[in-house]
Amino acid sequence: MTTSSRPPLRAVSLREQARNAIRTSIVMGDIAPGQVESVVKVAAELGVSITPVREAVMDLANLGIVEVIRNKGFRVPQLTDQDLDEIFKIRTMLEVPAMREAAEKFGDRDPGPFRTLAEDIVLAAEAGDVRSFLDSDRLFHKALLQTLGNRRLVNTVEQLRDQARMQGLQKLADHGDLTESAVEHLEILEAIISHNGELAAELMKKHLTHSRGIWADRPEPSDG
C-alpha cells in the first residue's frame, strides 16, 4: 500500500476528537447502556478540559446517541431488538440501492483509495484491532456513499451507524473470526469497480444482515 492513496490529514478540534472517542467507546460497548457517565471522568480519561467533552456530549445527544442527565453527565440509552431491527431495516432500504447506484456511477474513478480502506479493514481484523477496524469500516462505507453526492444520505447513514452498537465485535475479534466480515468489504468494492450493481446490492444486503447479528452480540452463522 502506498501513502499517496490516503486522504490528506486535517486539523481536528478537541470537540471533534472527544466526540469520536466517546462514540467509539459507545459502539464498542466500553460505556455500558443505562449507566450514567460523568463528563468530568471522561475528560480526565481523555486528558482534556471539561468544555470540549461537554460540547461533544451535546452533539451526540442531538443525534440521539446519548441522553444528557442534568448535573450528572450522560448515559447511553438501552436498545431493544425492535430498535436494532428498525435500524437494520432503514439501513437496508438506504444502503442496498445506494451500492447499486454507486456501481452504476463509479465510472473511471480511481479505486485505489477505496481499496486501501478495505485492505485496512482486513488488516485490522487479522490483528484483532477492533478500534482500527471500526475507524476504517466507517471511512470505507462513508467514502462509497459520498460518490453519490448526496450529503443527507451520508449523514443519515452515519447517524444510524452510531445508534447501533457492535456488541459482538470484540467477541469475534477474540476468537479470530472478524476477518470474514472484513473481507466482505473487498467483495462489495470489487462488484462496484466492475459496475455490477445487482451484485453490489446483494453483497451489501448480506453484509448488513451479518452486521445485524453483531449489533445484538448474535453474529449470523457463516453461509458455508
Side-chain angles (χ1 to χ4, degrees), residues 29-76:
D30 293 338
I31 298 178
Q35 175 183 320
V36 177
E37 195 76 12
S38 164
V39 170
V40 174
K41 176 189 171 189
V42 172
E45 291 173 347
L46 295 178
V48 298
S49 66
I50 295 175
T51 299
V53 174
R54 183 180 291 120
E55 293 172 342
V57 168
M58 291 306 300
D59 290 341
L60 295 172
N62 289 335
L63 294 172
I65 299 168
V66 303
E67 300 170 343
V68 175
I69 309 300
R70 188 174 179 84
N71 298 325
K72 290 185 178 181
F74 65 95
R75 70 182 167 209
V76 178

Side-chain angles (χ1 to χ4, degrees), residues 17-224:
Q17 291 182 65
R19 184 170 65 244
N20 290 340
I22 296 169
R23 180 174 58 198
T24 299
S25 294
I26 292 171
V27 172
M28 289 185 62
D30 293 338
I31 298 178
Q35 175 183 320
V36 177
E37 195 76 12
S38 164
V39 170
V40 174
K41 176 189 171 189
V42 172
E45 291 173 347
L46 295 178
V48 298
S49 66
I50 295 175
T51 299
V53 174
R54 183 180 291 120
E55 293 172 342
V57 168
M58 291 306 300
D59 290 341
L60 295 172
N62 289 335
L63 294 172
I65 299 168
V66 303
E67 300 170 343
V68 175
I69 309 300
R70 188 174 179 84
N71 298 325
K72 290 185 178 181
F74 65 95
R75 70 182 167 209
V76 178
Q78 298 275 4
L79 288 183
T80 65
D81 273 342
Q82 165 120 9
D83 292 324
L84 295 175
D85 283 339
E86 289 176 357
I87 293 170
F88 166 71
K89 289 176 182 176
I90 297 172
R91 285 192 60 183
T92 299
M93 291 168 64
L94 293 175
E95 294 182 76
V96 170
M99 291 304 98
R100 181 184 294 110
E101 184 179 352
E104 294 167 353
K105 295 183 175 179
F106 198 77
D108 58 358
R109 187 180 273 103
D110 178 14
F114 302 91
R115 185 170 283 118
T116 295
L117 287 171
E119 290 172 347
D120 285 346
I121 296 171
V122 175
L123 290 173
E126 291 174 344
D129 186 344
V130 174
R131 288 184 183 275
S132 294
F133 178 95
L134 284 171
D135 288 342
S136 296
D137 176 77
R138 174 180 293 274
L139 290 172
F140 175 80
H141 287 286
K142 184 176 182 178
L144 287 180
L145 290 172
Q146 284 176 328
T147 64
L148 302 180
N150 189 327
R151 178 172 49 86
R152 287 179 174 82
L153 172 63
V154 174
N155 291 342
T156 299
V157 172
E158 285 274 278
Q159 185 173 347
L160 289 168
R161 285 175 59 89
D162 289 338
Q163 290 176 1
R165 292 151 218 155
M166 297 289 202
Q167 296 180 35
L169 204 57
Q170 187 63 58
K171 184 182 294 184
L172 282 183
D174 292 342
H175 288 83
D177 296 330
L178 192 54
T179 305
E180 180 183 352
S181 177
V183 170
E184 290 175 356
H185 298 83
L186 284 168
E187 295 171 346
I188 292 169
L189 178 61
E190 291 308 317
I192 290 173
I193 294 172
S194 301
H195 308 293
N196 191 334
E198 290 308 312
L199 179 58
E202 179 185 332
L203 290 171
M204 188 65 202
K205 185 174 182 179
K206 172 186 172 184
H207 180 62
L208 285 172
T209 300
H210 289 172
S211 298
R212 168 63 181 89
I214 295 172
W215 300 344
D217 197 9
R218 292 193 298 272
E220 295 288 326
S222 169
D223 292 337

